[in-house]
Amino acid sequence: EVTDHSALNGWYYDESMNRGNAISFGALSGAPLEDVQIEGCTIVGGYHKAILIGSGPSKSGLKRAGANNVRVKGNTVLDCAVGFGGLVATNVVISTNTITGTGDLIKSGADCDLHTVSANILNGDATSGASTGVTSNESSNVTVSANTINGARIGVFFSDNGLTTARGGAISGNTIIDCGQI
């Protein structure tokens, strides 16, 4: 259980790193990490992202190699700015998690492919102005299904940011309650 925003992968870190992620993983360069599972964790009070998938330190200037075949299941994330975020990650399944927070609860960032977001309970904060249940930004083949999204400013948000390449995705069977806009 991580209860201090100054924890990174279970270790206390120097604030000058300015990362603030409870769990962060992903190859910096070379071959991506393979077959990662995060199951049954409880993360409380994350300063930045509770779990950052497929990322290396953003200040390094190195091309991220990311992560493949990731499973994030059965976790509880409470009072975090962002629940789960992904950068340069392929074949990611995020399911049966409970997330409460003020920012993007689940986010597929740039260069993600084959993300499945299903059967999660997502409780946002519509008053924060940043709360989104599921965000897919410049990602391909993202499926959002059978989630319960409550109280977020936006339930599900897909964006290609004006890219000329077609990006696929599907939204189906979700229950969206008391969200400001969808």
Side-chain angles (χ1 to χ4, degrees):
E1 180 174 350
V2 178
T3 58
D4 182 352
H5 73 268
S6 61
L8 176 64
N9 297 337
W11 295 90
Y12 184 84
Y13 79 100
D14 183 336
E15 184 62 30
S16 65
M17 287 180 63
N18 196 26
R19 294 284 295 164
N21 302 319
I23 299 172
S24 180
F25 63 90
L28 293 175
S29 61
L33 292 179
E34 299 282 345
D35 303 317
V36 178
Q37 295 183 14
I38 300 172
E39 297 182 353
C41 296
T42 298
I43 300 170
V44 179
Y47 176 72
H48 187 50
K49 290 179 178 68
I51 297 174
L52 183 58
I53 301 165
S55 172
S58 60
K59 294 181 179 179
S60 69
L62 297 173
K63 171 72 175 161
R64 296 182 184 106
N68 294 328
N69 305 319
V70 177
R71 303 294 176 262
V72 181
K73 295 183 176 183
N75 300 287
T76 301
V77 176
L78 303 171
D79 300 323
C80 289
V82 175
F84 303 149
L87 297 169
V88 195
T90 302
N91 193 21
V92 176
V93 174
I94 300 173
S95 66
T96 64
N97 301 286
T98 299
I99 306 169
T100 301
T102 58
D104 291 322
L105 302 177
I106 296 177
K107 182 174 185 178
S108 294
D111 298 322
C112 290
D113 190 27
L114 296 172
H115 279 204
T116 300
V117 179
S118 65
N120 298 286
I121 298 171
L122 308 175
N123 298 302
D125 179 2
T127 63
S128 74
S131 182
T132 302
V134 179
T135 300
S136 175
N137 186 13
E138 298 181 14
S139 298
S140 300
N141 305 307
V142 175
T143 301
V144 179
S145 63
N147 298 286
T148 299
I149 303 168
N150 185 27
R153 187 179 64 85
I154 301 172
V156 178
F157 177 72
F158 273 40
S159 172
D160 66 1
N161 280 347
L163 296 175
T164 56
T165 305
R167 303 286 177 144
I171 302 169
S172 66
N174 298 285
T175 302
I176 301 174
I177 306 163
D178 291 332
C179 290
Q181 54 183 304
I182 300 169

